[in-house]
Amino acid sequence: MKIVCFAWLREKAGVSEDTVSPPDTVNDVRGLVEWLRAKDPGYADAFEDLSLVRIAVNQEYATLDARLAPGDEIAFFPPVTGG
Amino acid sequence: MKIVCFAWLREKAGVSEDTVSPPDTVNDVRGLVEWLRAKDPGYADAFEDLSLVRIAVNQEYATLDARLAPGDEIAFFPPVTGG
Amino acid sequence: MIRVQREDFDVGAELDRLAAGRGSVGGLCAFVGLVRDMSEQRAISVIELEHYPSMTERALERIETQARARWPLDASVVIHRFGRLEPGDRIVLVGTASAHRHAAFEACEFIVDWLKTKAPFWKREHTDAGTRWVEARASDTAALAHWEQGEAAGHDPSNSTRGARKKAAE
Amino acid sequence: MIRVQREDFDVGAELDRLAAGRGSVGGLCAFVGLVRDMSEQRAISVIELEHYPSMTERALERIETQARARWPLDASVVIHRFGRLEPGDRIVLVGTASAHRHAAFEACEFIVDWLKTKAPFWKREHTDAGTRWVEARASDTAALAHWEQGEAAGHDPSNSTRGARKKAAE
């Protein structure tokens, strides 16, 4: 799976792009978040308050409940501020 | 008093600008309209349906009841279609 | 800023001017009215726009003043052409600049709605079937009436489109 | 038409392009977003706009498609810049062309409201007091929610701003 992070989430996680291979038990975004938190203090910091985290799976907005498959691209970012 | 007419009202009245001196009994727009109608078949034609006539006195929208004074500029025109 | 003129105008330059030197402007809204090529299934070759010069500028200035009293605008521009125009030609530009985009949108549409029903201009269309004076549309009068209802509700800028939309949805 | 680019754009030329060859277009509405010079009492020297490239174009295309399904548009354009920008610089252009001016206004504001809350861009401001990521505003989310309420009411374009404004006034 490919992880991408943007804005202050990228800075906190210390990761712009990351390729990870979580165990089979990680089958939704919530599971992935927990697994990343446990694995890496940067992710733990970035995910401290999940109410500030927006998620996209394969470039579409998604929720913590979204199912994941190998090869998916999961993006984490703060609420957007363009326009 | 100065009369100005626009668009098809100008064409029907046959008048673009007109200077008139109605009697003292003509002291509002309604009186002026009646006086012009009686005086001139062009005005009679232009004023055939007053629901289609818009009025301005001294470049401000006004109604048939507006009072008139010597030196006023009274404009008659159809509903506007700019923009 | 108000202009009534025969000549065309440069939309990009006018909008640049609205924002120039005003660092608080976060958004510009603009409306450009164009001459259409058809009218009731007839191809338009040319239109003539007649106006009432001494009343026009006064009327446009008043509506711009009203819009600026009602919405927090940093700047605004209204340019209306008269004379002979061809399909595709620009007729009118309304531009508004504000720190608040919704104010810019509302004020711009308010001014356009007002122009359509109150500014002393009259269009005559030339088609292959002859010429005719364009008739005013009831929908334009209705559009303006909505702003006046908003005004009657107490001149509160927040009590306009978006507020009303929200209330209606509740 | 969608563009995501580092370069500036020419508002006048983009609007001309919207109308070119489309004789039925009676009105264009445009919104131009600009970099402001102040943020919470601090002078901004520069902003950086980060984005998520593979998602951005897809997201913008979707919103343009939605707007064109919801309103009778002849054409539309959305251009959003990224990278390093200075106060006064253009950030975004949304333009809509329609035979009906109210559709042009509504669709344009809908797209802007959507961009503000859904398009994957993030602003970082540089001021004399340091740099900070701009925080999203609740008012932007509320603005978008109004359109979604309108949508829930049945996708009827006439049942939007103006209709709601009327209902609320009654």
Side-chain angles (χ1 to χ4, degrees):
Chain A
M1 280 171 195
K2 186 174 168 192
I3 312 280
V4 292
C5 296
F6 296 95
W8 58 255
L9 254 143
R10 169 177 54 72
E11 294 178 332
K12 286 200 175 186
V15 165
S16 160
E17 275 194 39
D18 199 0
T19 303
V20 298
S21 300
D24 289 351
T25 51
V26 170
N27 54 19
D28 63 7
V29 176
R30 194 183 310 274
L32 177 66
V33 165
E34 292 312 320
W35 182 76
L36 290 168
R37 265 179 171 156
K39 175 173 101 72
D40 185 301
Y43 280 116
D45 190 19
F47 295 149
E48 193 185 350
D49 179 356
L50 285 180
S51 74
L52 300 177
V53 179
R54 299 293 174 271
I55 300 153
V57 175
N58 299 327
Q59 297 88 44
E60 303 277 353
Y61 278 100
T63 66
L64 287 167
D65 297 324
R67 308 296 292 181
L68 295 179
D72 281 350
E73 175 172 306
I74 300 97
F76 297 105
F77 47 79
V80 304
T81 56
Chain B
M1 280 171 193
K2 186 174 167 190
I3 312 279
V4 292
C5 296
F6 296 95
W8 59 254
L9 253 142
R10 170 177 54 72
E11 295 178 332
K12 285 200 175 186
V15 164
S16 161
E17 275 194 40
D18 199 1
T19 302
V20 298
S21 301
D24 290 351
T25 52
V26 170
N27 54 19
D28 63 8
V29 176
R30 193 184 312 273
L32 177 66
V33 164
E34 292 313 319
W35 183 75
L36 290 168
R37 263 180 171 154
K39 176 174 100 73
D40 185 301
Y43 280 117
D45 189 19
F47 294 149
E48 192 185 351
D49 179 355
L50 286 180
S51 76
L52 300 177
V53 179
R54 299 293 174 270
I55 299 153
V57 175
N58 300 327
Q59 297 89 43
E60 303 279 353
Y61 279 100
T63 66
L64 287 167
D65 297 324
R67 307 297 290 181
L68 295 179
D72 281 351
E73 176 173 305
I74 301 99
F76 297 104
F77 47 79
V80 303
T81 55
Chain C
M1 216 265 299
I2 292 297
R3 294 211 314 267
V4 181
Q5 62 187 41
R6 196 177 286 278
E7 303 72 38
D8 194 11
F9 46 82
D10 179 332
V11 175
E14 296 297 339
L15 296 185
D16 283 350
R17 203 167 299 158
L18 276 190
R22 297 186 180 94
S24 60
V25 171
L28 306 174
C29 182
F31 177 82
V32 183
L34 303 168
V35 180
R36 290 186 226 182
D37 62 358
M38 297 286 285
S39 171
E40 297 179 353
Q41 276 89 49
R42 295 176 190 168
I44 294 172
S45 56
V46 72
I47 71 163
E48 290 170 90
L49 256 167
E50 180 171 333
H51 75 129
Y52 180 6
S54 60
M55 183 171 172
T56 311
E57 298 216 7
R58 183 186 294 212
L60 296 190
E61 271 164 22
R62 173 172 300 174
I63 191 58
E64 194 185 44
T65 302
Q66 276 188 31
R68 297 182 69 159
R70 194 161 165 176
W71 287 277
L73 303 183
D74 291 291
S76 55
V77 61
V78 180
I79 305 176
H80 204 303
R81 295 176 70 189
F82 60 88
R84 190 182 165 86
L85 299 171
E86 293 179 9
D89 282 354
R90 284 175 276 269
I91 302 173
V92 64
L93 169 68
V94 177
T96 52
S98 179
H100 307 282
R101 72 180 182 279
H102 187 59
F105 271 103
E106 282 213 334
C108 188
E109 191 168 14
F110 168 75
I111 295 171
V112 175
D113 282 350
W114 187 92
L115 283 176
K116 291 268 180 189
T117 46
K118 296 288 188 181
F121 289 91
W122 300 274
K123 284 195 188 94
R124 182 151 59 174
E125 291 173 348
H126 296 246
T127 71
D128 48 9
T131 73
R132 65 165 200 131
W133 291 98
V134 174
E135 280 183 40
R137 295 187 305 174
S139 62
D140 284 332
T141 306
L144 187 64
H146 290 120
W147 297 107
E148 285 164 355
Q149 287 170 344
E151 210 161 47
H155 271 279
D156 175 2
S158 71
N159 185 23
S160 49
T161 320
R162 195 55 69 79
R165 191 192 295 150
K166 179 152 186 297
K167 273 177 219 149
E170 278 167 4
Chain D
M1 216 265 298
I2 291 297
R3 295 214 311 268
V4 181
Q5 63 188 40
R6 198 177 283 279
E7 303 73 38
D8 194 13
F9 45 81
D10 179 332
V11 175
E14 295 297 337
L15 295 184
D16 283 350
R17 203 169 298 158
L18 276 190
R22 298 186 179 95
S24 61
V25 171
L28 308 174
C29 181
F31 177 82
V32 183
L34 303 170
V35 180
R36 290 187 226 181
D37 62 357
M38 297 287 285
S39 172
E40 297 179 354
Q41 277 87 51
R42 294 176 191 168
I44 294 173
S45 56
V46 72
I47 72 164
E48 289 170 89
L49 256 166
E50 180 170 335
H51 75 129
Y52 180 5
S54 61
M55 183 172 173
T56 311
E57 297 217 6
R58 183 187 294 216
L60 297 191
E61 270 162 24
R62 173 172 300 175
I63 191 59
E64 194 184 45
T65 303
Q66 277 189 30
R68 296 181 70 158
R70 193 160 166 178
W71 287 277
L73 303 183
D74 291 290
S76 54
V77 61
V78 181
I79 305 177
H80 203 303
R81 296 176 69 188
F82 60 88
R84 189 182 166 84
L85 299 171
E86 294 179 9
D89 281 355
R90 283 175 276 268
I91 302 172
V92 63
L93 170 69
V94 177
T96 51
S98 178
H100 307 281
R101 72 179 182 280
H102 187 58
F105 272 103
E106 282 214 333
C108 187
E109 191 168 15
F110 168 74
I111 295 171
V112 175
D113 282 351
W114 187 93
L115 283 175
K116 292 268 178 188
T117 48
K118 296 286 188 182
F121 290 91
W122 301 273
K123 285 194 188 92
R124 181 151 60 174
E125 293 172 346
H126 295 247
T127 71
D128 46 10
T131 73
R132 64 165 201 132
W133 291 99
V134 174
E135 280 183 40
R137 294 187 306 174
S139 62
D140 285 332
T141 306
L144 188 66
H146 291 120
W147 298 106
E148 285 163 357
Q149 288 170 344
E151 210 162 48
H155 270 282
D156 175 1
S158 70
N159 186 21
S160 50
T161 318
R162 196 55 69 78
R165 192 192 296 150
K166 181 152 184 296
K167 274 177 219 148
E170 278 167 5

